[in-house]
Structures are given as structure tokens and as C-alpha cells.
Amino acid sequence: MNDACFQLKGSAVSIIVLELYQFSDASFTEQLRDKVQQAPQFFQQSPVVISLEKMPTDHSPDFAAMLEICRTFHLQPLALRAVPAHLLDAARETGLAIIPATGRNSTPLETERDAPQAEVIVKKVVEEKQVRKPSKVITRPVRSGQQVYAEGGDLIVLSQVSEGAEVLADGDIHIYGTLRGRALAGVKGDTDANIFCHTLSAELVAIAGNFILSDALRKQRWQQSAHIHLDGDNLHVAEL
Amino acid sequence: MAKIIVVTSGKGGVGKTTTSAAIGTGLALSGFKTVVIDFDVGLRNLDLIMGCERRVVYDFVNVIKQEATLNQALIKDKRTDNLFILPASQTRDKDALTQEGVGTVLDELAETFDYIICDSPAGIEKGAQMALYFADVAIVTTNPEVSSVRDSDRILGILQSKSRRAEKADEPVQEHLLLTRYNPARVDAGEMLSVSDVEDILAIPLLGVIPESEAVLKASNSGTPVILDSASDAGQAYDDAVQRLLGKELEHRFLHAPKKGFFQRFLGGK
């Protein structure tokens, strides 16, 4: 048994950054309303970092009013970024996190003691980004008329893919049952993508846009296990 | 709490209504209070198959629109105790069914019934989706023929994604395969898909195989659910299916063509 309560990890999260140029109650409200109305679902309870990098340093926006307006539109301000020295006190009062400007060490926040820590965090972020997206795992049959897409990663189907169903992945596709429908791997153009299936009975298989239909497949490992990969511009059906 | 069973298929003419009538009657005969609802608004058939067409006064849509109470619309079966029919409307279309309205009627039925059988219309449009939305159990009725199997596969996908259980991420709808109009002689001749072909493609457990039988047409025309014809092979096969639905383990029958007797072969009779 592991009795640790937690583990600390660095993680890169994609987040909305609101780059402030200037602030006045009325126009900020109006412009934010316009933006949110374009995609209300997208902004619903979205965390937001407010960046002051692009704001002239002589400005002193009313933080409390600004956060209030953000919250009325269901945004959730998380942090203030690149706060100029003269606004630091006001920024601290908001209770939000204060994070340094990107790519430079211009924020007075970083005292000599803090600087190394900040560097560690930056390194972690880079590491985390290199880790690939987790595979999408489907445990039930993919039925006729259904479509499953593994964006940015591999797709693993532990069951069958029925005729009239379509499975797609940016990476590889593994099917541990019969493939009767369509399988398209490397749909964003990855020519190194593969398709593996337990029993090949497909309507169509494609890798990076190169496809073959069932007529051609019937001559190669039909009703047998198969590994399909790209050999130049030609799809090659190999023994698994 | 009542169990809601949808009898569905995608394709038309495969035997959904015959199955709904037979399974409903079978459950009632086993002592469970059962209601069969006709979801095929505009093409109502269930009342014909169940032989109660002359007793329809109010229908399912009347109840949804609160023009009649459930008790006014429910028809008690004359032959079988514990069995009730909620007929479809013949004069409206499927838009009269609303999810909220259907949900309210089912909730009210669930208070007093053990089993609610929803006889789905063909297709994958609104009527069929309404019939399967609230289901706990699905009996997917399929003929041993490629287009029927394909449509059943499609319906299984819809059960997986558009049922209430799917939307609420509850335990998935229990799926059963019922193969109807099975003709072992034609399977042997390679003219029909075999049980194992269909099981292989659909990958769901087999509830029963109903042999193609003259008894089915005869039963439909006389308005008597075929399960009551206990001398017929189809009637017995439905009875087996009901027992399996109730949890009994029975071996599947009627999977092989009967061997012709000596005299039959000799005389060339059927």
C-alpha cells in the first residue's frame, strides 16, 4: 500500500489568456459581451489568465471591477500575468495568483531566491508537452453508422468494428476483433501510422489518405489477422 | 420497479409486433403484470395482432396529450390475465410523441406493472428513438438476411448512444438477439445466414430462434398471439425465449431442418 497523500507534478494546461490593452468599465464590458456571445459554450466557466504585458505601464486598471465583470460572463480569472511593479500591491489584493511574463524575467516578482524555482517549473512544462496524447480505448462494438475518432493519438478497439462503421485516428489503429467497416489511420497525414486488426474483413482501409477497398483486400489476408502500413505510396498488408 | 423492454429492429416486416405480442403474452402467462405499448403511431398494428382492434376507444397519444386517463386507454386482454394493451393512434403522426409525455406515461405504468413492452416502429426516426429511449432491455428482432442484420447493428449503435441509460452513463441497455423467420433448410442450402453468422456479426447474446412457420401468419390473421398456439414450433420457440428472458437456461431448438421420414421421401411429400 502506498500511503502518500499526493504527488506534485508539472503540467501544461491550455488556457484562455486575456491580453489587456486598456481598461474602462463600459467598453470592457461591451467588448467582452460581444466575444462571449460568439461562443457561449466555449466561455462557460472557462479559467482565464489576465495578461498585462501589452498594457502601457502607466495604466492602473481597477482590478476588482475587472474581475467582477469577468465573473458576470462566467469566466474564472485564475491569475494575473506580467504585473508591473507599481501595481503589485493592488494585484496581491485580488487574491489571484501572480505569474511572471512569458519568455523574460522582467517581472519584479522574481527575487533572486524565487528565480530558480521558476526555471524548474518552465522545464517541467516542456517535458510534459512532449508526452503524447493518451490512446482512445473503445471496449464495446463500434456499430454501423457510428464514427469514432482518436484525435492526436492512437485508437484501440477491444471489440469489433461493424460494416458501415468508421474508425479514425491521427495515430495507429488497433482492432482486437473483426474489422468489417472502415479504418483510417494517420488522417492528418502521418505516413508512419499503422492499422492492426485481428480479423481483416474491411470495407476500406486508409493510411494518410492512401486507401484500398475490400475488392483489393480480398486478395490479401482476408479473414485473417493483418498489419497494414504504408510502403511509399502503396498500402502493404502484412501478416501480423 | 417495472422493467421496460423495447422490441426493435430498424428494418420493417421482420416480426417486431408479432414478437411484442408473443413475449408480452408469455410474460403475462408466467404471472407478471404486463402491458404492451404500440409506438407505431399512424400505422397501428398491435391491436390487430392481439385481436382487440374493436375495443380501441382512447390511445397512447390521447394519454400523452391528457385527453384521456391511462385507465381509459388501457385495454385488458380477454384471453390472458395480467395482460394489457396500450394502442397507438391511427390518426396522428409520430411527432405527437414527446420524450416528456412518453416518460410520464411510462412512469405511471411502472407503478403497477412488472413488465412494459414497447413495440417499436421500423426505422431509426423519432418513433423508434422514443420507443427505445427509456428501455432497460432491448430485444433486437432480426431476420437471417444481410440488410436486416445491418439495420439491427445500426439500432444497437443507437441504443448505445441515444438511450436514457447511455445519456446518464448508467449500466448499458441489456441487448438480446431474437432471430425470426429462420428456415434451417434454406440455411443448409446457403440461401440464408446461419445463427452463428448473425451472432458473429452482431456480437450480442441469443435470446431465441423463431422458425419460419405458417402458424405465425395464421395467428396474426386471427388476432391470437402465436405463443398461444402451443402445438406450433413458433409458439414453442417464443415460449422458450420468454423463459430465457426470465433467466432460465434452455437449449436452442428448431436450428436444424427436420429429417424427412422414409415415407415422406418416398412419396415426395412435404
Side-chain angles (χ1 to χ4, degrees):
Chain A
M1 280 291 286
N2 190 349
D3 55 1
C5 286
F6 60 84
Q7 184 187 11
L8 285 176
K9 280 182 145 182
S11 175
V13 183
S14 86
I15 209 164
I16 301 172
V17 175
L18 189 155
E19 278 193 332
L20 195 69
Y21 299 141
Q22 51 184 324
F23 179 78
S24 80
D25 268 15
S27 51
F28 184 78
T29 310
E30 190 188 325
Q31 290 171 26
L32 194 58
R33 177 181 296 124
D34 280 355
K35 274 281 174 236
V36 171
Q37 267 168 2
Q38 287 168 17
Q41 290 304 319
F42 180 73
F43 289 106
Q44 199 61 243
Q45 306 301 336
S46 292
V48 165
V49 168
I50 297 166
S51 171
L52 307 180
E53 270 170 298
K54 300 273 167 72
M55 187 187 69
T57 41
D58 54 343
H59 263 55
S60 319
D62 178 352
F63 285 133
M66 182 166 69
L67 298 181
E68 186 65 39
I69 296 166
C70 286
R71 286 177 185 131
T72 356
F73 290 107
H74 304 292
L75 295 172
Q76 298 191 324
L78 276 190
L80 294 164
R81 188 164 82 184
V83 182
H86 69 279
L87 289 174
L88 269 178
D89 283 340
R92 284 202 183 96
E93 260 174 44
T94 63
L96 295 190
I98 296 171
I99 48 182
T102 45
R104 34 189 170 119
N105 293 336
S106 59
T107 320
L109 234 200
E110 288 177 24
T111 59
E112 298 227 291
R113 190 161 44 86
D114 288 340
Q117 270 180 15
E119 242 170 64
V120 170
I121 287 166
V122 170
K123 270 186 201 157
K124 275 281 185 194
V125 167
V126 172
E127 264 175 37
E128 197 74 20
K129 272 194 169 166
Q130 285 168 346
V131 175
R132 60 182 195 84
K133 269 203 167 179
S135 303
K136 189 168 198 167
V137 182
I138 307 290
T139 53
R140 305 193 67 191
V142 185
R143 302 287 184 183
S144 179
Q146 291 184 322
Q147 191 185 49
V148 180
Y149 175 38
E151 197 184 352
D154 295 351
L155 176 66
I156 299 170
V157 181
L158 299 178
S159 184
Q160 59 178 23
V161 177
S162 293
E163 240 173 284
E166 194 169 66
V167 289
L168 309 102
D170 288 343
D172 298 343
I173 296 177
H174 306 253
I175 298 160
Y176 292 89
T178 306
L179 168 60
R180 297 192 180 90
R182 299 156 161 254
L184 300 91
V187 288
K188 291 213 177 123
D190 182 359
T191 51
D192 290 329
N194 299 276
I195 296 170
F196 306 89
C197 67
H198 182 269
T199 310
L200 177 65
S201 191
E203 290 172 355
L204 173 149
V205 289
I207 291 171
N210 300 279
F211 66 89
I212 29 178
L213 294 168
S214 68
D215 289 348
L217 285 171
R218 275 171 206 276
K219 297 171 198 136
Q220 311 168 57
R221 299 205 58 76
W222 189 249
Q223 304 283 11
Q224 297 174 63
S225 62
H227 168 205
I228 299 143
H229 57 96
L230 207 53
D231 191 3
D233 274 345
N234 297 318
L235 281 185
H236 188 67
V237 184
E239 207 172 316
L240 190 62
Chain B
M1 189 61 200
K3 237 186 194 163
I4 303 177
I5 303 178
V6 60
V7 177
T8 183
S9 71
K11 199 168 168 61
V14 296
K16 284 183 297 295
T17 302
T18 300
T19 298
S20 300
I23 301 270
T25 307
L27 288 169
L29 286 172
S30 300
F32 296 100
K33 197 174 176 197
T34 305
V35 55
V36 188
I37 308 177
D38 192 348
F39 273 79
D40 206 347
V41 177
L43 289 170
R44 89 176 194 225
N45 278 167
L46 180 72
D47 49 324
L48 288 171
I49 307 275
M50 308 266 300
C52 63
E53 72 276 14
R54 297 193 187 167
R55 293 162 61 208
V56 176
V57 182
Y58 294 108
D59 57 51
F60 191 20
V61 173
N62 290 139
V63 180
I64 287 178
K65 302 217 151 161
Q66 297 183 336
E67 295 157 359
T69 66
L70 251 181
N71 282 332
Q72 286 176 307
L74 281 174
I75 302 175
K76 190 176 183 318
D77 191 83
K78 278 192 172 159
R79 287 169 298 246
T80 315
D81 281 344
N82 297 322
L83 182 61
F84 292 81
I85 296 113
L86 185 54
S89 172
Q90 182 73 318
T91 49
R92 315 282 179 93
D93 62 28
K94 292 181 175 75
D95 292 333
L97 297 178
T98 60
Q99 189 158 304
E100 201 191 349
V102 173
T104 314
V105 174
L106 291 180
D107 280 347
E108 198 178 333
L109 288 169
E111 286 171 17
T112 47
F113 283 91
D114 299 315
Y115 283 97
I116 301 171
I117 314 274
C118 304
D119 180 22
S120 169
I124 54 171
E125 309 305 325
K126 195 174 176 195
Q129 292 196 12
M130 282 296 146
L132 67 76
Y133 182 76
F134 294 95
D136 303 308
V137 178
I139 297 178
V140 179
T141 313
T142 308
N143 287 168
E145 172 255 328
V146 282
S147 63
S148 173
V149 173
R150 167 81 67 98
D151 291 357
S152 294
D153 194 61
R154 183 90 167 87
I155 275 288
L156 284 165
I158 293 173
L159 276 164
Q160 268 176 36
S161 55
K162 293 199 175 153
S163 61
R164 178 170 61 172
R165 282 174 174 269
E167 279 177 10
K168 289 187 157 184
D170 285 345
E171 211 173 291
V173 177
Q174 246 184 62
E175 300 154 341
H176 296 284
L177 171 63
L178 187 77
L179 208 53
T180 52
R181 297 195 158 171
Y182 195 68
N183 186 333
R186 295 189 66 189
V187 173
D188 291 346
E191 298 167 0
M192 213 178 234
L193 295 175
S194 72
V195 176
S196 63
D197 288 341
V198 181
E199 277 188 293
D200 196 39
I201 296 172
L202 293 181
I204 57 171
L206 183 65
L207 180 69
V209 179
I210 313 299
E212 186 156 47
S213 166
E214 285 162 13
V216 173
L217 187 62
K218 204 174 81 189
S220 301
N221 285 336
S222 66
T224 320
V226 68
I227 196 168
L228 293 174
D229 183 356
S230 53
S232 70
D233 47 1
Q236 292 172 22
Y238 271 119
D239 196 43
D240 283 5
V242 170
Q243 297 310 318
R244 286 191 201 100
L245 197 60
L246 294 172
K248 272 205 189 137
E249 285 187 24
L250 297 173
E251 209 175 311
H252 289 280
R253 298 194 274 168
F254 315 111
L255 301 186
H256 305 288
K259 294 219 166 52
K260 282 187 177 177
F262 174 76
F263 284 106
Q264 279 178 312
R265 254 185 297 168
F266 189 68
L267 299 167
K270 263 176 92 182

